[in-house]
Amino acid sequence: MMKALGLEPLYRSGNDLPWIPFTPYSDMVTVKLLKVDPVTGQTVAMLRVPAGEGLGVHNHYGTVIAYTIRGRWRYAEHGWVSSAGDLVYETAGSQHTFLAERGEDVEVFIVLEGALEFIDPEGRTIGLENWRTFLERYYRYCEAKRLPARDLSDFS
Amino acid sequence: MMKALGLEPLYRSGNDLPWIPFTPYSDMVTVKLLKVDPVTGQTVAMLRVPAGEGLGVHNHYGTVIAYTIRGRWRYAEHGWVSSAGDLVYETAGSQHTFLAERGEDVEVFIVLEGALEFIDPEGRTIGLENWRTFLERYYRYCEAKRLPARDLSDFS
Amino acid sequence: MMKALGLEPLYRSGNDLPWIPFTPYSDMVTVKLLKVDPVTGQTVAMLRVPAGEGLGVHNHYGTVIAYTIRGRWRYAEHGWVSSAGDLVYETAGSQHTFLAERGEDVEVFIVLEGALEFIDPEGRTIGLENWRTFLERYYRYCEAKRLPARDLSDFS
Amino acid sequence: MMKALGLEPLYRSGNDLPWIPFTPYSDMVTVKLLKVDPVTGQTVAMLRVPAGEGLGVHNHYGTVIAYTIRGRWRYAEHGWVSSAGDLVYETAGSQHTFLAERGEDVEVFIVLEGALEFIDPEGRTIGLENWRTFLERYYRYCEAKRLPARDLSDFS
């Protein structure tokens, strides 16, 4: 009889994956892509923002779970500051401006559902990010740096 | 001691909710919004497309589950035709053009995650739909028709 | 360069799939499995309950979206009755007893996340259902009826 | 007109929340609960396992995202060892036995969907964990230690 075999857990070593400039939004902010799901569109990544730097205004079209690994950051729109060990849970339909505090560089572990839309000061769309744009930025970077590219959308 | 009480299931009567023109994309296509989730952004709705009509090209930024209740429809980009009782499961990052076949009007039950982006023939964004735009279209319709508006984002 | 190609939508014809007795919980209640996701565990199915019949008490370990296609049903624990066109949205951690009203047989379209636990009157676990048990029940049925079994967990 | 206002992001300080023994499975392993979602059942938590200790065999009824903060751990069933900065993505329907390597204590950030079922060597269910059991363990701990308990299921 055919069996309904479960899939093995996916293990991905963070050391084997590159930090990639989060262009065109910033040359200073880098992203390490860990995994994308081509069915649900979920993106799992690390975000690194140098102390004192930021990321422009963006809208979320799905939830974001952001767990701070090091450094301190906040959203310009809110009163709290997130430090190592803190959780920020962002709801679908929210809009923020990321600011890294002075001191240590910021590193955040991120689970992103759906899309991220960056907008300019007049509210116009600059870019829409989803699992495909993250994966293609990774492929472009690997090609430019002559690194072997892995299929980060795969389970095998 | 504080208790971790589960929430009761939400029951929503389809007869109590209006069919709303899916403007500005179409005056003929109507949507009946059943539920939105302000945390995850999930939208549950019915879509009604008159026989022979269609909806413009759109991108998905999350999955869509579409179960056909009546009528026959297809995507211009694919070979199958979906009839009553058929399932279409659309992945995040896909792009389609909805076409209702001649004959019976089409009615589809839809579970939408994330955002829907309508684009023009040159690939430019016409509009981005998410739980908030669906809920606001419902509120505007209720106000225009002097219908009592319900909070379709609530669980109580 | 490698491309981040999206997956095509999955089309599944309801007519091609069998109604399977929901054993061991009931011989009268049948399930038509439409799709399972081996990553997230999501199960998409139809449930058919003859008028006047029911399903035992069960716990949900994820959400359930239940859209009624025909007939009338309710949960013994709640006051509403769901008819064709109505939505029931069940939260993770809820417990119910399904009862089909007299009259027409009940047919419900279901999107199930996580597991379903059937319990006996003393609260003991009778069985835990998830994407694997649903898929294996389908495989066993196909084998017993000498029907060709399809891989309902696949996207291709 | 009624507005479809989005919810603010939730900020939760890790320092304000206690490490709680993960009884009855272990007195040595502790859990810090950060957030539960009473609709979807999602649980966000930290897991701390002393070097050389482990957690019994368990089944997953939803996905688990596990990002290692410090220490080294593996599953008895697989060949890899996860260190700080590595991602493990576990699929619904998988079964594992958690083992912390010798050396540093292990700390893992976890996003858990659906339920977790601990089983004994004969495959019998010892316990089923979900958002409610995690939240109630937290409430019991707060009561025993006379700590003020917070509603970790709330967004406000």
Side-chain angles (χ1 to χ4, degrees):
Chain A
M1 197 191 80
M2 284 172 75
K3 295 286 289 178
L5 296 173
L7 297 168
E8 289 206 354
L10 177 84
Y11 164 70
R12 198 143 279 163
S13 166
N15 282 336
D16 295 352
L17 293 163
W19 287 99
I20 300 172
F22 197 16
T23 52
Y25 313 109
S26 168
D27 293 326
M28 313 277 287
V29 174
T30 52
V31 173
K32 182 193 282 189
L33 189 61
L34 293 168
K35 184 192 178 332
V36 295
D37 185 320
V39 176
T40 64
Q42 189 188 64
T43 300
V44 184
M46 300 296 299
L47 183 73
R48 191 182 267 172
V49 184
E53 291 292 321
L55 254 184
V57 184
H58 56 275
N59 291 312
H60 294 295
Y61 289 96
T63 56
V64 182
I65 292 175
Y67 181 81
T68 304
I69 306 300
R70 72 188 90 252
R72 301 173 76 242
W73 65 277
R74 59 189 176 91
Y75 279 134
E77 295 80 1
H78 302 290
W80 42 261
V81 176
S82 181
S83 306
D86 294 350
L87 173 72
V88 175
Y89 196 104
E90 309 173 18
T91 57
S94 56
Q95 184 181 99
H96 324 285
T97 315
F98 191 105
L99 300 172
E101 300 283 285
R102 293 177 179 283
E104 201 182 359
D105 290 356
V106 170
E107 223 172 281
V108 184
F109 173 72
I110 282 173
V111 180
L112 171 73
E113 309 281 346
L116 204 60
E117 180 193 24
F118 286 90
I119 56 177
D120 71 11
E122 280 73 44
R124 285 176 301 224
T125 304
I126 299 172
L128 257 162
E129 295 290 319
N130 65 356
W131 73 270
R132 291 176 68 175
T133 57
F134 277 108
L135 189 52
E136 285 176 352
R137 186 180 286 105
Y138 165 74
Y139 287 153
R140 278 196 306 273
Y141 182 85
C142 289
E143 197 178 54
K145 300 289 181 185
R146 299 183 185 276
L147 296 171
R150 303 169 58 177
D151 182 357
L152 298 179
S153 70
D154 198 12
F155 251 92
S156 59
Chain B
M1 198 189 81
M2 285 174 75
K3 294 286 289 179
L5 295 173
L7 297 168
E8 289 208 355
L10 177 85
Y11 164 70
R12 198 143 278 164
S13 167
N15 283 336
D16 295 353
L17 293 164
W19 289 99
I20 299 172
F22 197 15
T23 53
Y25 313 107
S26 167
D27 294 325
M28 313 278 287
V29 174
T30 52
V31 173
K32 182 192 282 187
L33 188 61
L34 293 167
K35 186 193 177 331
V36 295
D37 186 320
V39 175
T40 65
Q42 188 188 62
T43 300
V44 184
M46 301 294 301
L47 183 72
R48 190 183 267 172
V49 184
E53 291 292 322
L55 255 184
V57 184
H58 56 274
N59 290 313
H60 293 295
Y61 289 97
T63 56
V64 183
I65 293 176
Y67 180 82
T68 305
I69 306 300
R70 71 188 92 254
R72 302 173 75 242
W73 64 276
R74 60 191 174 91
Y75 280 133
E77 293 81 2
H78 303 290
W80 43 261
V81 176
S82 180
S83 306
D86 294 351
L87 173 73
V88 175
Y89 196 103
E90 309 174 17
T91 56
S94 56
Q95 183 181 100
H96 324 287
T97 315
F98 191 106
L99 299 171
E101 299 282 285
R102 294 178 178 280
E104 202 182 358
D105 289 357
V106 170
E107 224 172 280
V108 184
F109 173 72
I110 282 172
V111 180
L112 172 72
E113 308 281 347
L116 203 61
E117 181 192 24
F118 286 90
I119 55 176
D120 72 10
E122 280 72 45
R124 287 177 299 226
T125 305
I126 299 172
L128 256 163
E129 295 289 320
N130 67 355
W131 74 270
R132 292 176 68 174
T133 58
F134 276 108
L135 189 53
E136 285 176 352
R137 185 180 287 105
Y138 165 74
Y139 286 153
R140 279 197 306 273
Y141 182 85
C142 289
E143 197 178 54
K145 299 290 180 184
R146 299 183 186 277
L147 295 170
R150 303 168 58 175
D151 182 357
L152 298 179
S153 71
D154 199 12
F155 251 92
S156 59
Chain C
M1 197 191 80
M2 285 174 74
K3 294 286 289 179
L5 295 173
L7 297 168
E8 289 207 354
L10 177 85
Y11 164 70
R12 198 142 280 162
S13 166
N15 283 336
D16 296 352
L17 293 164
W19 289 99
I20 300 172
F22 198 15
T23 53
Y25 313 107
S26 167
D27 294 325
M28 313 279 286
V29 174
T30 53
V31 173
K32 181 192 282 187
L33 189 61
L34 293 167
K35 185 192 177 331
V36 295
D37 187 320
V39 175
T40 64
Q42 188 188 63
T43 300
V44 183
M46 301 293 301
L47 182 72
R48 190 183 268 172
V49 184
E53 291 292 322
L55 255 184
V57 184
H58 56 274
N59 291 313
H60 293 295
Y61 289 97
T63 56
V64 182
I65 293 176
Y67 181 80
T68 305
I69 306 300
R70 72 188 92 252
R72 303 173 74 242
W73 64 277
R74 60 191 174 91
Y75 279 133
E77 294 80 3
H78 303 291
W80 43 261
V81 176
S82 180
S83 306
D86 293 351
L87 173 73
V88 175
Y89 196 103
E90 309 174 18
T91 56
S94 56
Q95 183 181 98
H96 324 286
T97 315
F98 192 104
L99 299 172
E101 299 283 284
R102 294 177 178 282
E104 202 181 358
D105 290 356
V106 170
E107 225 172 279
V108 184
F109 173 73
I110 282 172
V111 180
L112 171 73
E113 308 281 345
L116 202 61
E117 180 192 24
F118 287 90
I119 55 176
D120 72 11
E122 279 73 46
R124 286 177 300 225
T125 305
I126 299 172
L128 257 163
E129 295 289 320
N130 66 356
W131 74 270
R132 291 177 67 174
T133 59
F134 276 108
L135 189 53
E136 285 176 351
R137 186 180 287 105
Y138 165 74
Y139 286 154
R140 279 197 306 273
Y141 183 86
C142 289
E143 196 178 54
K145 301 289 181 185
R146 300 183 185 277
L147 295 171
R150 303 168 58 176
D151 182 356
L152 298 179
S153 71
D154 199 12
F155 251 93
S156 60
Chain D
M1 199 191 79
M2 285 173 75
K3 294 286 288 180
L5 296 174
L7 297 168
E8 290 206 354
L10 177 85
Y11 164 70
R12 198 144 277 164
S13 166
N15 282 336
D16 296 352
L17 293 164
W19 288 98
I20 300 173
F22 197 15
T23 53
Y25 314 108
S26 168
D27 294 325
M28 314 278 286
V29 174
T30 52
V31 173
K32 182 192 282 189
L33 189 61
L34 293 167
K35 184 192 177 332
V36 295
D37 186 320
V39 175
T40 64
Q42 188 187 64
T43 299
V44 184
M46 301 294 301
L47 183 73
R48 190 183 270 172
V49 184
E53 291 292 321
L55 253 184
V57 184
H58 56 274
N59 290 312
H60 293 295
Y61 289 96
T63 55
V64 183
I65 292 175
Y67 181 82
T68 304
I69 306 300
R70 73 188 90 252
R72 301 173 76 244
W73 64 277
R74 59 188 176 91
Y75 279 133
E77 295 80 1
H78 302 290
W80 43 260
V81 176
S82 181
S83 306
D86 293 350
L87 173 73
V88 176
Y89 196 103
E90 309 175 16
T91 57
S94 56
Q95 184 180 99
H96 324 284
T97 314
F98 191 106
L99 299 172
E101 300 283 285
R102 293 176 180 283
E104 201 181 359
D105 289 356
V106 171
E107 223 173 281
V108 184
F109 173 73
I110 282 173
V111 181
L112 170 73
E113 309 280 346
L116 204 60
E117 180 193 24
F118 286 89
I119 57 178
D120 71 12
E122 279 73 44
R124 285 176 301 225
T125 304
I126 298 172
L128 256 162
E129 294 291 319
N130 66 356
W131 73 270
R132 291 176 68 176
T133 58
F134 277 108
L135 189 52
E136 285 176 352
R137 185 180 286 104
Y138 165 73
Y139 286 153
R140 278 197 306 274
Y141 183 85
C142 289
E143 197 179 54
K145 300 289 181 186
R146 299 183 185 277
L147 296 170
R150 304 169 57 176
D151 182 356
L152 299 179
S153 70
D154 199 13
F155 251 92
S156 59

